[in-house]
Amino acid sequence: MKKTLLLTILFFLLKHEASYSQNEKNMNAATASAAFAAWGEGEKTGNYEGFKKLLAPRFHTYSHPLDGNFTGKQALEKLLTLIADREKKSNQLSFSNIKIMDNGDDFAFSFDSQGQVAGGYPYKGFNIIVISVSSNRVVGFREYFGFVDPAWFK
């Protein structure tokens, strides 16, 4: 009887853990999608408020082709500096052909972008943004894109 009860409890705990993990994964996917949409809104209008609200206090990874790679406290500082600069002098980009891939807590968004960058130059290119999520908050942001002239963003 004790063995059956223990096995029943163990089965329940394992089943509960599996469903919790799936629920957490679904919530993290929703958070990543919301963060990407909010980032797109910022790139289009200069309003990054929705994106900033999703950033975790323990944000730890930031990478950008024009800024470099950062971890820890410096990562959040660098991302917030980029956002502040874009809020002052915004891009006017629209995203299309969005594809999403995930690998656990990392969500990669590949997309085409087109419009005008902050320096007033026309831009049309292919981009990838990887958003890392933990406990429904953004903890990492990495952006990749093809050739751009850094002077376009000055």
Side-chain angles (χ1 to χ4, degrees):
M1 169 101 173
K2 286 183 181 181
K3 185 177 181 180
T4 304
L5 180 60
L6 287 174
L7 287 174
T8 302
I9 292 170
L10 180 61
F11 176 76
F12 173 77
L13 290 173
L14 289 174
K15 187 174 178 173
H16 177 72
E17 178 62 30
S19 67
Y20 172 77
S21 296
Q22 186 60 44
N23 283 342
E24 183 176 29
K25 182 177 179 178
N26 290 343
M27 290 178 5
N28 283 345
T31 299
S33 292
F36 180 76
W39 182 261
E41 179 66 20
E43 289 291 273
K44 189 174 188 177
T45 67
N47 179 359
Y48 291 88
E49 288 305 313
F51 181 79
K52 291 189 292 189
K53 289 178 183 175
L54 294 170
L55 295 174
R58 57 189 182 90
F59 183 91
H60 57 70
T61 306
Y62 168 69
S63 176
H64 188 277
L66 300 176
D67 288 340
N69 300 312
F70 303 92
T71 57
K73 184 180 176 185
Q74 190 179 28
L76 182 57
E77 291 170 359
K78 287 292 189 179
L79 177 59
L80 291 175
T81 298
L82 173 72
I83 290 171
D85 289 346
R86 290 195 182 165
E87 287 173 329
K88 290 176 194 164
K89 193 173 184 183
S90 66
N91 289 331
Q92 296 170 0
L93 299 173
S94 295
F95 299 165
S96 61
N97 301 320
I98 301 164
K99 294 180 179 59
I100 306 168
M101 296 153 276
D102 75 270
N103 182 18
D105 296 334
D106 295 321
F107 300 84
F109 298 84
S110 64
F111 58 98
D112 296 324
S113 61
Q114 183 174 341
Q116 187 173 309
V117 294
Y121 295 91
Y123 178 79
K124 183 175 183 180
F126 177 77
N127 304 65
I128 296 173
I129 289 178
V130 179
I131 296 175
S132 301
V133 178
S134 179
S135 300
N136 302 316
R137 300 297 294 269
V138 174
V139 295
F141 182 90
R142 297 181 305 255
E143 184 172 7
Y144 308 92
F145 45 79
F147 173 78
V148 296
D149 184 341
W152 294 351
F153 295 89
K154 303 262 185 236

